[in-house]
Amino acid sequence: MNKYGLHGKLQATAGKGAYLAQILLEASKLVSTAIGCRLYLVSQDSSNPDAVWVTEVWDSKEDHDNSLQVPGVRELISQAMPLLAGRPEKGQELEVLGGTGLEVELAHIS
Amino acid sequence: MNKYGLHGKLQATAGKGAYLAQILLEASKLVSTAIGCRLYLVSQDSSNPDAVWVTEVWDSKEDHDNSLQVPGVRELISQAMPLLAGRPEKGQELEVLGGTGLEVELAHIS
């Protein structure tokens, strides 16, 4: 069964990228407790330091959507929103077929 | 110390996406043995089934570049090249700050 992947950018206003990244790193601790969360990475784009990228893998889209219920996540989102330079773009949705490196073993498609 | 992230697309010719994905899943097994390989995920874009996405995290860019020396990797690359619809685009390079889900514990930036 493929997993649900999401790769998206959050553009902070000038000089706020590091602060936004901090908030998202806090969020990664919270969502790590959510059902079906297999990966939540926070990265910066060296060519655009106020852009923060989040790369996620979930057992399902539903699990991802439900993670908003995790206590503390909505508060972090409300902290992050004022730092954004505009509406967050919808991330790239991917079907994760397999690979290596996740804590959970990914069944390769046969 | 941030890790080196790479997220890139390989566009296969019509109908060859699944075959290309298979080769890259094989590659993920090989590179998992390479020094500094922390993540190598193979995904498909549901809106473009002949596009295969590879999402990687390495301890360093150097480790990533050295992975070409892993026995069998060059052979897989030579299998994949004829399936491509053009020169592979350079992937998005990212500085992975931290997060959750990798087998290796990611130190969060303080």
Side-chain angles (χ1 to χ4, degrees):
Chain A
M1 170 82 183
N2 294 337
K3 295 201 180 295
Y4 176 70
L6 202 56
H7 179 68
K9 178 176 85 168
L10 293 169
Q11 184 67 47
T13 50
K16 295 285 196 267
Y19 183 22
L20 178 60
Q22 278 294 334
I23 292 172
L24 291 166
L25 284 166
E26 284 308 309
S28 71
K29 293 178 197 167
L30 293 181
V31 297
S32 66
T33 66
I35 294 167
C37 178
R38 300 303 174 193
L39 183 74
Y40 191 103
L41 294 182
V42 179
S43 306
Q44 276 182 318
D45 178 340
S46 7
S47 65
N48 176 1
D50 286 322
V52 183
W53 289 81
V54 179
T55 308
E56 304 173 54
V57 175
W58 294 80
D59 284 340
S60 67
K61 182 175 190 323
E62 195 190 351
D63 286 341
H64 165 266
D65 299 347
N66 291 336
S67 68
L68 289 176
Q69 319 305 332
V70 171
V73 167
R74 283 188 191 281
E75 286 74 6
L76 284 176
I77 289 172
S78 63
Q79 280 180 40
M81 290 306 280
L83 304 176
L84 299 185
R87 271 184 67 80
E89 299 159 15
K90 183 170 169 49
Q92 175 190 23
E93 291 184 307
L94 292 166
E95 283 187 57
V96 181
L97 304 177
T100 185
L102 295 185
E103 273 168 323
V104 63
E105 189 50 45
L106 281 171
H108 290 245
I109 50 172
S110 53
Chain B
M1 170 81 185
N2 295 338
K3 295 202 181 295
Y4 176 70
L6 201 56
H7 179 68
K9 176 175 88 167
L10 292 170
Q11 183 68 46
T13 51
K16 294 285 196 268
Y19 183 21
L20 178 60
Q22 277 296 334
I23 293 171
L24 292 166
L25 285 167
E26 284 307 309
S28 72
K29 293 177 194 168
L30 293 182
V31 296
S32 67
T33 66
I35 295 168
C37 177
R38 301 304 175 192
L39 183 74
Y40 190 103
L41 294 183
V42 178
S43 304
Q44 276 183 316
D45 180 340
S46 7
S47 65
N48 176 2
D50 286 322
V52 182
W53 289 80
V54 180
T55 309
E56 305 173 55
V57 174
W58 294 81
D59 285 341
S60 68
K61 183 176 188 321
E62 195 190 350
D63 285 341
H64 164 265
D65 298 347
N66 290 335
S67 66
L68 289 177
Q69 318 306 332
V70 171
V73 167
R74 284 189 191 278
E75 286 74 8
L76 284 176
I77 290 173
S78 62
Q79 279 181 41
M81 291 306 280
L83 304 176
L84 299 185
R87 272 183 68 81
E89 300 159 13
K90 184 170 166 52
Q92 176 190 24
E93 291 183 310
L94 292 166
E95 283 187 57
V96 181
L97 305 177
T100 186
L102 294 185
E103 274 169 321
V104 63
E105 189 51 47
L106 281 171
H108 290 245
I109 52 174
S110 55

